[in-house]
Amino acid sequence: MRRATAIPCLLFALIATAQQPTKKPAARPAAARAEAAAVSTQLPVTRVSLYKNGVGFFEHAGRVTGDQSVTIDFTTAQLNDVLQSLTAIDLNGGRIAGAGYNSTTPLEQQLKALPLALGEDPTAVDFYNAIRGARVEVHGPGAVITGRLLNIELLEASDKEGQSTGQKRIITVIGDTGEVRTLELTSTTEVRLLDSDLHTDVTRYLQLLASTRNQGLRHLNLQDNGTGARELHVSYISEVPIWKSTYRILFTEPKSTTTKQTATLQGWSVVDNTTGADWINVRLSLIAGAPQSFIQPLSVPYYSRRPEIGLPQEAQLTPQTHESGDETTATALNAPPAVPPAPMAGLAAGIGSGSGVGAGFAGGVARKSSYGSVNQSVSVNAEPMMAYEQSAMDSIAPTTSTAAFDDYFAYNLTEPITIRKNESALVPILQAKIDAERVTLWSQQNPTPLRALWITNTSNLTLDRGSFSIVEDGNFGGEGLLDPIHPAEKRLLSYAVDQAVRVTTESQHDTTHATSFTAAKGVMVLHHTQIAEITYVVHNAAADSRTVILEHPIRQNYVLDSDPKPEETTPTLYRYRVVAAPGETVHLHVGERRNSTVTYQLTNFNDSQLALILNQTNNSPAIMQALAPILDARRHVADMQSAVDKVNTHLTSLRSDEDRQRSNITALASADKASRDRFVHDLNATEDQIAAAQKDLSSAQSNLQAAKDDLANKITALQIDDKL
């Protein structure tokens, strides 16, 4: 069904007709306004802790006097988290009487309370169906029609050629004098409601729809009762954007013959304030951790869904019996509800203190409470290198401390910070010297050589996950990503392609050698050593020396069996250091070995397996001599088995002859005696042969069993321990 475009105009016309002039509320006296302001005050934000899982811990603090109500504004989305984690403490003996907020009944429930049966998104047809029976005045082509609306219909319209042109709306009105009029609703048709009560219902319906746009701000009023001036602290968690880390690595020292240098590491954090309240001179903590958190819609009134039971058609006069309640089920149904997990409020309590940071960037920057700012311009090309380094270090002075608790670590800004609502800030969180080595990184997974830094975190601070940029001699050198790096941890950071280095593999092959052979109690074990070898070729076409960090994957159950040893080992990689002079080609050989075993059961191994074992042991004379008695016994068992099979075949043939001869005798029951005697004689001879063959079979089976027993004894007695 297509949505009619006429309903907005119609509803607004109905409202204009229904609305009556209303009196404006009288202005409150100045004394009353002053009294209200004294009774209810805003409680400012004083501390903010932001977590990596998208939640923030907020603390408001202020002074209250006597019985006072304080107000904190939230959005509807924030209020769910607040109700789940709110903590309020009066530090001077006051008593928290409770908290209230402007609740909102769901629109669906409010619409159910109206006499007008319309949903949240009605069409014109829905509206006319809802007002069926109402008195209306219709202005259309021709005369004006006054009466009651009977119904509305949708009919298919077509042109002169019978092609469909869509649907048209037809209404039927019963006039005051009894005439029935049917006409089409078009853009020029005007329908006016004549029932004032219906006007009111329609107006109320539209007001409810409009009110849903104004439910974004919620006011939480907290009542604190007591005497005298007191300190009130309120804390809660709320959903916030995830704070981001970004770093700068500045090389300000001249290049030397060694690859190891000292670099300046600057750390910044991007913080967004979307909470709807200004953060003015707050203590800010940035915490790298993800405590478990979830949302429950506690701020929305919840209605239970009740079944609708129809009325009985007739009284039930017959007595009925009912089953008794199951004790287990009854207990489960009456059990108390599960306790939800404890809220995370107060998780960051005690993390650092102090008073924040602030340099300035347009559109939402961190500001110092003293309104001081740094506006220093440095010419890299004009000043000496050491002056540039000192200027880079003096340009920002992040006063940040770190704290580790549980599985988290935090950057605590020790000066207050100001970030207005709906603004963001780039906040400096650290500056330190670190050890960095310029290297080229290559691996089989990424065969393109990459320029990289092999850094050691000597800052005594944990570096959070984020992006980084390289600045070399005042120029951009590249950028990349880093995972969390703990103090004193060493990490490779790649940032650009090294076009002067080429790494290839010259040879790669795997070999297997048998090392020993053991046998005892019918079980043979062949021990192998598998050797994997590869040679890497590193060529440096640059005009200066290159230190190449070559990553070789760790193979499961293999151990290194060659020199040189790797510079570093990770859970999945060996890292080798290869130094190549300008224009030099360097070879790196990596060898690995793995010991393995293959087990055979002598009772069921076959000739092909035996041939494979002998081939892998290079036909060891000692092994062949030890296995010779078993091989002879196996051949004897095979011969005895052939004899048994031969007797069984002969018996099968004799029994077939016996069956044929019995059939012939039965068929010649009416023949002469001489013919029957001949067949009986043949049958007797066959039965004698069967009896002799059965004796031969018994003897062959005995010989086979004896051969098997002999083979089993020789297998049990076999003892081999031969080093190959």
Side-chain angles (χ1 to χ4, degrees), residues 528-539:
H528 298 89
T529 296
Q530 295 174 287
I531 299 176
E533 297 177 284
I534 186 172
T535 300
Y536 297 99
V537 181
V538 179
H539 177 71

Side-chain angles (χ1 to χ4, degrees), residues 500-515:
V501 172
R502 185 176 70 253
V503 180
T504 58
T505 55
E506 186 176 67
S507 61
Q508 181 176 1
H509 59 275
D510 296 348
T511 57
T512 302
H513 304 286
T515 57

Side-chain angles (χ1 to χ4, degrees), residues 315-331:
Q316 299 291 334
L317 302 179
T318 305
Q320 300 181 39
T321 60
H322 304 276
E323 295 179 353
S324 63
D326 182 88
E327 182 178 356
T328 304
T329 304
T331 303

Side-chain angles (χ1 to χ4, degrees), residues 49-55 240-247 268-272 285-289 409-411 429 464-465:
S49 299
L50 304 180
Y51 291 81
K52 277 295 186 178
N53 66 336
V55 299
V240 293
I242 297 174
W243 64 277
K244 289 84 68 179
S245 299
T246 178
Y247 302 91
W268 299 78
S269 174
V270 178
V271 179
D272 307 293
S285 296
L286 305 175
I287 301 172
F409 64 89
Y411 299 104
I429 55 177
D464 183 46
R465 177 182 287 104

Side-chain angles (χ1 to χ4, degrees), residues 685-703:
T686 300
E687 290 180 346
D688 291 340
Q689 292 176 0
I690 290 174
Q694 287 177 337
K695 292 181 180 180
D696 294 340
L697 177 61
S698 178
S699 176
Q701 290 175 337
S702 298
N703 294 336

Side-chain angles (χ1 to χ4, degrees), residues 166-188:
Q167 292 180 322
K168 57 183 180 180
R169 301 184 301 276
I170 305 298
I171 64 171
T172 301
V173 179
I174 308 299
D176 293 338
T177 58
E179 72 274 15
V180 179
R181 299 290 299 272
T182 300
L183 70 159
E184 180 181 359
L185 287 178
T186 65
S187 59
T188 61

